[in-house]
Amino acid sequence: MNILSRLIDSFSARSQIREHEALEELKARYHAFRIFLENNGRALELLVSIDGLLNRGEETAIRTATEELLSVTAELVDGLNLLSGDAHAGLYALHGQLAADVVQHLDILSDNPGQQAYCIALDDLGPGAHLLAGTKAANLARLRRMALPVPNGFVCTTMACKHFIGEGQLAAGIRRILREYEYQHQDVNQAAVHIEELILATPLPPDIALALEEAYRHLAMSEKQTGATNGPLMAISVRSSGVSEDGADHSFAGQFTSILNVIGLQSLFDAYRVVVASGFSPRAISYRLNAGLTPVDFDFAVLCQVMAKADCAGVLFTRDPSQPENGRMLISAVPGLGTMAVEGSAAVDLYRPRRAERVDDASPECLPGLFEGKQNISQARAAELLDGAEISRKTLREVPSPEGGLQQEQLPAAEADLPLLSVEILEQLMCFGEMIENLEGVGQDVEWAYARESGVAILQARPLRLAAGKGRRLRLPAAAEPLVSGACAAAGRAVGRVHIIHSTADLQQFSKPRAGALSSAPCILVLPQSIVDAAPLLKNCAGVVIEVGNPTDHLSCIAREYGVPMITGAQAALSRLHDGQWVIIDADQGMVVDAPKSIRAAVAQAHSEQVQRKAQSQTDHSPPTSLRHTVIPPERQALRQMIVPLNLTDAYGPSFSRMDCRSIHDIIRYTHEMAVLSMFDAGDTIMEDAGDLLRPLDIGVPFSFLVIDVGGGTRRVEKTSFRKKLSLQNPLSREDVLSIPLAALCDGLTTPGLNWHSGPDIDALPGIFSRSLLDTRTTRPAGSFNYALAARDYLNLNARVEFHFAMLDAVCGRDSHANYIRFRFKGGGAGSERGHRRAIFLKHVLEGNGFYTTVAGDLVTASLTGAGKEVISERLVMLGRLLGFSRFLDGVMTTDETPVQLAQAFLAGRFDTRVTRESTEEQEMQETINRFQA
């Protein structure tokens, strides 16, 4: 007896040692996993920061952030190998090689501090470009992205101006002259003349001259392809675009020089210096000082655009500045170029068309033929447009000179008293004005030109200021409440039609050529969460709305890279928005609003023309017209390619492997995906030694599994004897569960009235044992143990329920960046057809709760990432109900309509299939009667 007792004690001791070692290993893996998640979040934050720094060219900050990123990603590689038992040791060499290349390019960047973005095409200016391109250029680039008729061009950036002003003794001379003016009370006109002479006498640095030459020739080539010009000696306008210009606080209206009809490179170089010098004109110097701005603040860019042809031109105020509440616009027009209208040096035609409240009419008259000015205007509408018009006698007009510059000429006597604008062109101008006003959210001051052969051109748009002169811009009346609101992940505004993505199938469908209504308009992609698989589609979208996400996730980085406006954390976006709905996404303000009908048709028409031009360009095999290689110098561009792009998007595809990691972003994505899988493997490999670590969960429902507490997941219990351990007489109750995600799951499992079903349908029994239940098609097989790893805010569940498998991995804590749910469900005993129907049911329910899903046969995979603690907890309660409700559910899937009916009932809070089954049986009975009668 003593020998037997000693043997039992010895066995018990060894068992306890194995259990202790097993528990310590699990805890170590769990804590390593949590550290991994923290590092993953930090890596994404650094990625966002570096993305912005590369745009701005801040070399010191780029180096600091990049070196930290390399250190953190090395920790990710190390953490993954710790979790997986060195299963990914090959990542060390890959990361090391990438890191060495990145460091090498950082050194190259440090050796070339002068390499900056000097010239950028308007089409390459993304959201948030005003610091580099100035406000005027950034505004026009945004309108051009909206397919408004803004002339093509490029901007010579603030970087170029700073380089030019800082060259040699120029900066010192300017500062000396300004000090003499400010402190020695010198004459401001004399100071301005001295500065202008100094600037005009300074030759352009060779790198700026080269950038201007390349951009000018490139623009000429682009216009030649479109038929707008016939050679390299193209006429352009050269205008100021200051960072503080045309903004909400300081307009600088009329303070800087504009040079029109500039022809040839030398003329461009001269015009550039003249415009820069105008930044130090007497008016500009005084304006800066009176506005409290530093006179020596070289935040100045120069905008160069193709000269717009003009039979007439003028200014459009979307609200009459003298009487903003009278419901009228104010439009001035002069023959020829608009210089005399802006300067007020000639007689103008004035139009005060009434703003008909027609933005939401079913068929606004301005929309058909908007871009050609071919609308059919009713007599009543024509009378409204011309009401209050003042037609003056016009004798002069300013026109381009063949050799460059401008010249004045006499207007033919027969045209002197004729109105310059037809009612069709007035309506067209009003529509453009309303579009810009709606996009910007404030009244607008718009400069325009019109030519019979090319139509209207928008030359400038800025906030409208009241005639009272208090420097306040005129805001629009309060708009309707936003449809959804969220956080800005990528700045900008866009108009388009909603396209909702729920699943992999939706993404695949979206990637195909679109037809019908959605193909005729820009697309606003609406996603339940930040789905990395959607990354390749962003370049074809006008904007993106994410229901659950944050600005530091993968998709946000890519949206910023492409310059696509994006809002994250837009709660209830999937329920409040619907496919095909016209919306404006204003990422700057973090909201989505209905798009007025006047904008809808105009944008749709512009989009259609844009698509046709693109198709024609591809047919003609035209060379690319982008200046993107000049946006970021080669050194920074190469560095970006090593860090920012994401190539690994499909976690289930054949290309998702270590060998396809080509950037630091790829390594972040790959390690995160593999770390989650490693946590599933951890439980499987340790089950044999788990012993007393396993505690059965008994919450009074027919769904049981064993729980392993890896840190704060359950209440602690006293040690038990070996014999008691063998009998497992120590179950957990709901009150013993401290794990937040496990508690939420239990609450769902114990929902009152939840129908657990009693067994499979009798017709389904023959197929129960004829199918393989194990999922071996991918790297995520369902296991065969019913167990859960639980911590205070973590749950990893792997369970076999009757004839199917369910897997669940979740983090539910305070940090929404680290929170997620991954859910997998496979199998069934009622045959493949009914198993697939159950999968369809699960898909509908999961998508109705904001999950992103994939369905293949009877396999359903779903994920939810980046949500807050409350949302994750609610979804886990729902999953608990779903696990119970789905038990033997394949047995009742008798028709293709059943999955949708049951899903609708479940989403409505009805967790009993009896009503649905009765209606289905009645339907089947009626069909049988109909067949018999036939």
Side-chain angles (χ1 to χ4, degrees), residues 734-770:
R734 169 61 183 85
E735 290 71 26
D736 294 322
V737 176
L738 302 180
S739 168
I740 296 171
L742 179 55
L745 187 74
C746 290
D747 290 343
L749 290 167
T750 55
T751 298
L754 180 63
N755 188 345
W756 282 79
H757 309 115
S758 58
D761 188 285
I762 189 66
D763 296 331
L765 287 177
I768 287 182
F769 298 106
S770 65

Side-chain angles (χ1 to χ4, degrees), residues 877-888:
V877 171
M878 182 278 300
L879 286 175
R881 293 168 181 159
L882 196 59
L883 285 172
F885 190 83
S886 301
R887 179 175 179 262
F888 290 126

Side-chain angles (χ1 to χ4, degrees), residues 745-828:
L745 187 74
C746 290
D747 290 343
L749 290 167
T750 55
T751 298
L754 180 63
N755 188 345
W756 282 79
H757 309 115
S758 58
D761 188 285
I762 189 66
D763 296 331
L765 287 177
I768 287 182
F769 298 106
S770 65
R771 306 174 61 242
S772 171
L773 298 178
L774 289 176
D775 173 20
T776 58
R777 290 179 292 176
T778 71
T779 57
R780 298 179 172 189
S784 57
F785 294 105
N786 281 28
Y787 71 88
L789 307 180
R792 184 66 178 177
D793 58 358
Y794 176 69
L795 174 64
N796 182 302
L797 171 67
N798 196 331
R800 176 172 178 168
V801 184
E802 307 305 337
F803 302 101
H804 60 263
F805 293 113
M807 297 196 314
L808 172 65
D809 192 70
V811 171
C812 181
R814 295 179 180 178
D815 184 4
S816 61
H817 296 180
N819 287 347
Y820 67 84
I821 301 175
R822 295 178 183 235
F823 178 70
R824 201 150 200 228
F825 189 102
K826 174 179 170 54

